[in-house]
Amino acid sequence: MAIMTYRDALNQALREEMLRDENVYLMGEDIGVFEGAYKVTQGLLAEFGEKRVRDTPIAEEGFVGAAIGSAMLGLRPVVEIMTINFSILAMDQIVNNAAKIFYMFGGQCPVPMVIRTPGGGGQQLTAQHSQSLEVWYAHVPGLKVVAPAFPADAKGMLKYAIRQNDPVMFIEHLALYNTRGEVPDGEYLIEFGKAQVVRPGKDLSIFAHSRMTLYALEAAKALEGLGISAEVVDLRSLRPYDLETLVASVKRTNRALYVEEGWGTYGIGAEICAAVTEAAFDYLDAPIGRVAGAEVPMPYSKPLERAAIPSPATIVAKAKQLLNRP
């Protein structure tokens, strides 16, 4: 099993799927000649040519609409939007067309497309380029939304996404592209709707997705030094999500905490906390806690940016509070 970066795992998934199916093609801003703003498409223009790796104008609504049309005609576009913040410009195409066409045409016209886009903060890209907007898309029936945290999941979930007949929002995180991990070779698929227990524990469950899963693992390690055994569950798939695994974790630990980088109000954590409380109320010894981003536009100042994003230390503090530990 090779060790590679999250970026290279995505690149490998794209290449393998393009070799497997000639209907898979890529489009997006600067993905061809420049090989992607984050180099995820490096080498693919040279290998597959301009017909299958298409640079687009800076016109998100236009090229997402073109991708939807080609998907309706049987192709499998993988669209890269340079940042999830730019996806707002294409929201009408994503929400009103991609998500609804299959249902509005009586199930006769699937839209098999993937939109890859990075989100999150921490890079001093300030208020308009540091947002975690995955919850906007997870709110919409007709879309599937995933946010893998590890290189192996990035590969397995992207290959699975490309084979879906539904539109998929594939959310990456800017800070994950250089992270490294073991990635299986060749055919490797991860089904959507399956959370993963990435660290077992018995005193507290910490649920998270994307980069916050890595922070939750750091927090769990620190909590271990305080005599607290924390179980960490990576949600991976936001729509659909795996309620069964979350409830099973609560049954083992009797306390839970959700960690997300985005704003907490109406966030992913709000949905998960409500669903787990309804399903496992009798097993909870305390209300489910939440750690989320500060409810402000992301500041440019580095100290303020750090303060606005949850950290392992804030997770540890909230965990101790839930367990009534000093």
Side-chain angles (χ1 to χ4, degrees), residues 25-249:
Y25 79 100
L26 316 182
M27 64 190 307
E29 297 147 331
D30 288 336
I31 67 163
V33 175
F34 192 64
E35 300 185 314
Y38 302 100
K39 303 302 178 190
V40 171
T41 53
Q42 191 164 37
L44 298 180
L45 174 63
E47 182 170 357
F48 294 99
E50 291 183 353
K51 185 177 179 182
R52 297 183 68 192
V53 181
R54 305 288 297 182
D55 275 321
T56 65
I58 303 174
E60 288 79 7
E61 184 177 16
F63 67 73
V64 170
I68 293 169
S70 71
M72 292 171 68
L73 293 173
L75 297 180
R76 291 186 174 272
V78 181
V79 179
E80 178 176 314
I81 298 180
M82 196 177 291
T83 155
I84 196 170
N85 306 282
F86 298 168
S87 75
I88 298 170
L89 295 162
M91 201 135 183
D92 181 51
Q93 290 289 354
I94 298 169
V95 173
N96 274 332
N97 289 327
K100 295 181 173 68
I101 283 172
F102 178 78
Y103 300 91
M104 293 174 67
F105 288 82
Q108 299 180 66
C109 189
V111 182
M113 66 180 291
V114 178
I115 297 176
R116 293 184 36 249
T117 186
Q123 315 296 315
Q124 277 193 289
L125 296 175
T126 194
Q128 295 171 319
H129 296 77
S130 302
Q131 301 175 101
S132 299
L133 304 177
E134 54 269 28
V135 67
W136 290 9
Y137 299 106
H139 182 63
V140 180
L143 295 178
K144 292 179 178 175
V145 183
V146 298
F150 303 102
D153 290 346
K155 176 182 176 179
M157 297 184 84
L158 183 54
K159 286 171 67 71
Y160 188 81
I162 292 170
R163 302 182 191 191
Q164 297 301 292
N165 283 332
D166 302 308
V168 176
M169 292 296 295
F170 195 93
I171 312 297
E172 300 156 14
H173 193 292
L174 289 171
L176 293 179
Y177 286 128
N178 288 328
T179 57
R180 300 175 68 85
E182 291 186 338
V183 177
D185 299 323
E187 187 73 350
Y188 174 65
L189 304 175
I190 296 178
E191 186 179 349
F192 293 170
K194 301 290 184 184
Q196 183 178 30
V197 177
V198 292
R199 179 188 173 105
K202 59 182 179 61
D203 296 327
L204 169 74
S205 299
I206 305 177
F207 305 142
H209 67 274
S210 193
R211 182 172 64 156
M212 287 300 113
T213 301
L214 276 60
Y215 281 15
L217 286 168
E218 285 187 47
K221 187 175 180 181
L223 289 166
E224 185 177 32
L226 302 174
I228 297 171
S229 171
E231 179 159 297
V232 178
V233 182
D234 179 17
L235 210 62
R236 302 198 290 190
S237 177
L238 308 181
R239 188 182 185 98
Y241 63 82
D242 181 2
L243 182 59
E244 183 179 349
T245 294
L246 303 180
V247 168
S249 180

